[in-house]
Amino acid sequence: MNNTNMSNREVCDLIFVDYSTKKPFLNLDFANVSTTELTGESVFAYGGKGHPKRVQFAGERGGTLTIETQIHTVKLWQLVTGGELSSSAKFIKRIETAVEADGASITLKDTPVAGTVAVYAADDDCGTELAYSITGNTITLTSALTDGARVIVYYMKEATGNASRVNIKSTSFPKNFIVYGDTVMKTENDEILPYKLTAYKVAPQSSLSLSFTNNGDPGAVTITCDLMADEDNNILDLVLIEE
């Protein structure tokens, strides 16, 4: 099997295991491309006429594991950014609605975060604020409008317990991981052989580009991880299994 001619046209499913705790962190079985690149540097001692290379030294072994995916998960964002995960979040909402029959009352579906409400006439969005008072989720305009007049309301809503928020600080850095990969190779004899990959210590680069578009292909995310040596100098295992 060591001399078997084979090829690949399938992505690796990857399991990320926390390097410190040895607990599974993310099952990344939705990638479109997974690329492993090994790197190293050669330096030479030179000597003699013509300055020829005489002795070669190899070092700085490393590499990268690059993943391309069109599928997102919150855990994936957390893996790349090192952000903290929580179940609460605040975000701004904008609604356009008509005042009630009294010309002054507006009832919101949510109770806004205190001090975050701004009200405008519908034809003066983000222009001159309308004065108001608020109790719970009911806004009362100081100066009544005509019945059915339309207004725009901005306010902050707080979601607690039903949100997934990754909080990224200037001090947030990704963890190190062990990565186990699983795909198949196909031989010239039409055999399908399991192929396993183990990256012993992986550090995701803390760069993440999220694109949102209304045309073309779904936005893709590229994650690049640096391959490092573990405490036993292991970097990578490439395993082919004959069944």
Side-chain angles (χ1 to χ4, degrees):
M1 188 171 64
N2 292 341
N3 294 317
T4 300
N5 293 336
M6 57 190 175
S7 187
N8 167 270
R9 198 173 183 273
E10 187 57 276
V11 69
C12 271
D13 290 338
L14 302 167
I15 299 173
F16 283 75
V17 174
D18 189 302
Y19 186 81
S20 177
T21 66
K22 303 300 187 286
K23 299 291 186 181
F25 181 86
L26 173 66
N27 177 35
L28 204 163
D29 60 356
F30 46 79
N32 293 324
V33 180
S34 54
T35 304
T36 308
E37 180 180 6
L38 288 172
T39 59
E41 286 198 5
S42 295
V43 294
F44 300 90
Y46 298 79
K49 293 179 178 178
H51 196 59
K53 296 175 181 177
R54 296 287 188 177
V55 183
Q56 182 258 1
F57 299 91
E60 297 194 29
R61 297 303 302 270
T64 56
L65 171 63
T66 303
I67 302 152
E68 296 178 23
T69 175
Q70 292 175 307
I71 307 297
H72 302 233
T73 71
V74 173
K75 273 281 195 176
L76 183 67
W77 299 341
Q78 189 183 14
L79 179 141
V80 177
T81 63
E84 293 184 6
L85 185 63
S86 66
S87 59
S88 64
K90 293 179 183 178
F91 53 93
I92 196 166
K93 291 192 68 173
R94 177 189 183 276
I95 64 165
E96 182 174 344
T97 187
V99 296
E100 297 174 14
D102 61 3
S105 298
I106 306 161
T107 302
L108 304 176
K109 293 182 179 179
D110 313 299
T111 299
V113 175
T116 66
V117 175
V119 185
Y120 304 93
D123 60 357
D124 189 29
D125 190 4
C126 297
T128 301
E129 286 192 52
L130 303 180
Y132 67 88
S133 61
I134 184 169
T135 302
N137 65 336
T138 301
I139 298 171
T140 303
L141 297 177
T142 303
S143 299
L145 305 176
T146 58
D147 181 15
R150 299 191 68 79
V151 295
I152 294 171
V153 183
Y154 292 90
Y155 64 92
M156 293 292 292
K157 177 182 177 180
E158 183 170 14
T160 303
N162 61 343
S164 295
R165 168 176 166 247
V166 179
N167 179 230
I168 305 162
K169 300 180 182 295
S170 61
T171 54
S172 300
F173 296 99
K175 295 181 177 181
N176 291 334
F177 297 92
I178 306 168
V179 178
Y180 298 92
D182 176 19
T183 187
V184 293
M185 306 293 285
K186 187 175 183 180
T187 72
E188 286 187 326
N189 295 326
D190 209 28
E191 297 175 295
I192 303 298
L193 301 179
Y195 170 89
K196 308 290 184 181
L197 172 152
T198 302
Y200 283 88
K201 191 175 185 181
V202 164
Q205 296 179 7
S206 52
S207 298
L208 179 64
S209 177
L210 300 175
S211 63
F212 301 91
T213 179
N214 63 359
N215 62 80
D217 292 335
V221 175
T222 299
I223 302 153
T224 302
C225 305
D226 292 311
L227 302 182
M228 301 188 296
D230 71 1
E231 58 199 27
D232 297 317
N233 294 321
N234 297 308
I235 296 178
L236 190 67
D237 277 353
L238 305 176
V239 180
L240 193 66
I241 299 173
E242 186 173 15
E243 295 186 326

